[in-house]
Amino acid sequence: MNAVLQRLPFDLSALRGLSDKLLNSHRQNNYCGAVKRLNALRAQPADTSFNSAPGFLLNALKREELIASNSMLLHELCFASLGGDGQILEPAMKLALDANFGSVERWREEFVAMGKAAGGESGWVLLSFQPREGTLVNQWPADHTHALAGGMPILALDMYEHAYHMEFGAAVGVYVDAFMANINWAAVYLRYQHAVHAASEAFGATQDDAASALLLDVRRASVFEQASTMLPGARWCDPAAVTAWSGVLPADREVVVYCVYGHEVGRSTAMRLRAAGLKARYLRGGLDGWQAAGRLLVAKPPG
């Protein structure tokens, strides 16, 4: 089955600091070239006898197929990362960066520095979700054959010279800053949400499961501050500081965490706890589902 070329998912005229000429060249010469090369490589094995083909030939074909596939996918992700104002983050996306990097600013500092450090070389800078640990990490693949096994990239910055040299020359930092100013955080957050949901579905707990478990309220700090009720027997733990408090939880006790709706805040927190060796799950439907089922809520304790 042939890979199909995708259109640029943004209005070229809306981007600031990245010209139509640069982006069209990037798409036409590099992205389209990768897709065409991948389709040619996919057709090649039909004419190849795997039993008689020399090992070096088969290895070369599969390596080139991997390079073309990753080039296609990462270019599509890079383009899909653009089209926003670079600043406005969904609250849950901000929480995820705070929880994994200490703050959005700390994440940005590292991501930008990685991009600028790659100037004159090649590769990508990726923000990727690690399902095993429920975490976000910045990753530097030196080329299209280096990837985080099991990782799910949600933001990609192309640091190959073809992505910037035509317009910025050796001014790599100006290009990186322009990219950052055009990140579409709504799209990044949607990819993060989908990645977390796909990886965590097996770890959901029912409302009845919560009755016998250690129950933790992991609503965002600002949400919990405004709330007046919580689940009976629960205690609040700041999800942005999960690394700090996870170590004091009992390893032999079932743990159920809940957020407002049972989406990525509760799910990712449960995954972080499971990676730390705890028997943790998230409450399906969250507090909203609990309330909708007519279950008891109690007043949040003062202070």
Side-chain angles (χ1 to χ4, degrees), residues 37-71:
R37 190 165 67 254
L38 174 61
N39 287 335
L41 287 162
R42 284 177 173 176
Q44 186 70 29
D47 303 321
T48 302
S49 171
F50 296 125
N51 290 328
S52 60
F56 71 86
L57 175 60
L58 184 58
N59 288 344
L61 283 172
K62 298 310 291 184
R63 183 177 187 278
E64 289 301 316
E65 183 181 0
L66 175 62
I67 290 172
S69 295
N70 279 348
S71 180

Side-chain angles (χ1 to χ4, degrees), residues 113-134:
M114 289 172 64
K116 293 180 178 179
E121 298 183 15
S122 62
W124 299 83
V125 183
L126 306 178
L127 174 61
S128 296
F129 176 68
Q130 292 191 101
R132 182 187 182 278
E133 298 179 341

Side-chain angles (χ1 to χ4, degrees), residues 214-218 235-237 241-257 269-270 272-274 276-281:
L214 175 61
L215 196 56
L216 303 180
D217 186 320
V218 295
R235 74 171 188 261
W236 180 73
C237 294
V242 60
T243 301
W245 52 260
S246 61
V248 301
L249 297 178
D252 59 348
R253 182 90 185 271
E254 294 283 344
V255 177
V256 172
V257 302
T269 303
R272 295 283 296 270
L273 296 177
R274 292 179 70 87
L278 297 166
K279 302 175 182 178
R281 292 185 288 171

Side-chain angles (χ1 to χ4, degrees), residues 91-159:
M93 189 73 243
K94 180 183 183 303
L95 169 64
L97 294 175
D98 287 346
N100 288 278
F101 296 93
S103 67
V104 175
E105 293 71 25
R106 183 66 175 164
W107 165 79
R108 187 184 301 272
E109 180 183 351
E110 183 182 58
F111 192 88
V112 168
M114 289 172 64
K116 293 180 178 179
E121 298 183 15
S122 62
W124 299 83
V125 183
L126 306 178
L127 174 61
S128 296
F129 176 68
Q130 292 191 101
R132 182 187 182 278
E133 298 179 341
T135 56
L136 288 169
V137 296
N138 286 330
Q139 183 205 2
W140 173 63
D143 62 30
H144 297 105
T145 61
H146 293 80
L148 181 66
M152 306 169 74
I154 62 172
L155 173 66
L157 166 61
D158 191 344
M159 288 309 304

Side-chain angles (χ1 to χ4, degrees), residues 4-12 15 18-35 70-84 124-126 144 153-160 162-164 175 179 182-188 191:
V4 178
L5 289 166
Q6 304 295 311
R7 296 179 180 179
L8 291 176
F10 50 78
D11 179 2
L12 283 167
L15 268 60
L18 297 171
S19 71
D20 296 12
K21 181 180 180 181
L22 176 68
L23 290 164
N24 279 322
S25 173
H26 193 177
R27 180 185 184 276
Q28 185 62 37
N29 294 314
N30 303 104
Y31 166 62
C32 292
V35 175
N70 279 348
S71 180
M72 174 185 72
L73 294 170
L74 290 175
H75 275 102
E76 289 177 353
L77 178 59
C78 181
F79 295 143
S81 298
L82 297 171
W124 299 83
V125 183
L126 306 178
H144 297 105
I154 62 172
L155 173 66
L157 166 61
D158 191 344
M159 288 309 304
Y160 280 84
H162 65 243
Y164 61 86
Y175 160 68
F179 177 91
N182 287 282
I183 292 176
N184 182 350
W185 278 110
V188 175
R191 287 190 288 274

